[in-house]
Amino acid sequence: QITLKESGPTLVKPTQTLTLTCTFSGFSLTTSGVGVGWIRQPPGKALEWLALIYWDDDKRYSPSLKSRLTITKDTSKNQVVLTLTNMDPVDTATYYCAHRVKQKLSNHNWLDPWGQGTLVTVSS
Amino acid sequence: DIQMTQSPSSLSASVGDRVTIACRAGQSIGNYLNWYQQRPGKAPQLLIFAASSLQTGVPSRFSGSGSGTDFTLTISSLQPEDFASYYCQQSYSNPTFGQGTKLEIK
């Protein structure tokens, strides 16, 4: 069974850096095709993809947030860490991590399962 | 980024109704399209991948179709637990999501 869980601060001040950790079990980030992604959702709004890290350490970022985002992995701890710099109240959202699956013999891929999410509020 | 546009943004329907949600991609994405269901206060769950393949455990009343730029999610007979929000997501390139469709009880 694959599980993921996000952890980190629930409240950050404007201009601070947010650091979130995704701790997972049931899969390895050394397996070909596997990745972990981060997605956020402001209250009452749509999902927004942020970043992905793959088994081979390839990293992809949302173009609109690329300058503020960093994603890293620690395969020995089964963790993926996301940092978002210069936080602003508009970054208030529930942040999710998710297991990225790639279908064998094709390039089809999807996010499944997701963690429960963690609400981060940006306020002074 | 490939823009994804869903319609409608909200929909009222009754138990037993057949409903269809549309998703349009800003460029051709083949069948690289996934659908997720999100119940209130919960994380999204995968319903359909590769435009029409049902995820294990998802009821057969859910179906997906389409290719290129136009896709649909159909629920053949709404059940009480289906009232939720639905999101499409393209997996052709770096992921992008539609703005969501909220399905409400009439």
Side-chain angles (χ1 to χ4, degrees), chain B residues 40-88:
Chain B
K42 300 295 186 182
Q45 292 186 299
L46 179 71
L47 289 176
I48 288 171
F49 61 91
S52 60
S53 296
L54 210 59
Q55 171 68 335
T56 303
V58 173
S60 59
R61 61 181 180 273
F62 290 92
S63 64
S65 64
S67 67
T69 60
D70 292 309
F71 302 87
T72 57
L73 172 70
T74 299
I75 311 173
S76 61
S77 178
L78 275 173
Q79 299 302 300
E81 60 268 29
D82 300 338
F83 292 94
S85 292
Y86 293 85
Y87 292 90
C88 61

Side-chain angles (χ1 to χ4, degrees), chain A residues 41 63 108-112 115, chain B residues 1 31 34 36 38 43 55 87:
Chain A
Q41 185 174 38
H108 284 291
N109 61 90
W110 51 88
L111 298 165
D112 180 65
Chain B
D1 274 10
N31 64 341
N34 305 319
Y36 301 85
Q38 185 179 32
Q55 171 68 335
Y87 292 90

